[in-house]
Amino acid sequence: MRKKLSAIGNSLGIVIEKPILELLDIDRETELDMRTDGERLIIEPIRSARRAKVKAATHRAMAAHDATLRKLAK
């Protein structure tokens, strides 16, 4: 499938058709991770399990380095 970008204000956007959204179980509330490998734009839905893992890792890091982070924040 070939697509062209559409103007959205001062930005550009791409429309993702409903069958693709349904296939990937994405809706307007789904957070998307967007990155590039230097040649491609990669867009992936962030699933709640992944979000929970990242949140847990952040809490562990904060707990382990609380004093250092507080000193750096000053």
Side-chain angles (χ1 to χ4, degrees):
M1 171 184 304
R2 291 184 181 214
K3 302 286 288 185
K4 289 193 175 192
L5 295 174
S6 303
I8 301 174
N10 290 332
S11 300
L12 297 174
I14 189 164
V15 175
I16 304 170
E17 281 75 18
K18 189 173 181 178
I20 294 173
L21 295 171
E22 289 173 348
L23 176 69
L24 298 174
D25 192 27
I26 295 174
D27 60 27
R28 72 175 46 226
E29 301 301 319
T30 305
E31 287 186 84
L32 301 172
D33 177 48
M34 186 168 62
R35 63 186 184 283
T36 180
D37 63 4
E39 293 185 19
R40 294 170 194 84
L41 181 62
I42 303 162
I43 303 171
E44 293 181 301
I46 299 175
R47 302 296 178 202
S48 58
R50 179 175 172 201
R51 188 178 311 126
K53 287 180 184 178
V54 170
K55 190 173 181 180
T58 302
H59 283 289
R60 286 193 306 274
M62 295 287 286
H65 304 288
D66 183 61
T68 304
L69 293 170
R70 288 184 188 276
K71 287 178 186 177
L72 288 171
K74 289 183 179 181

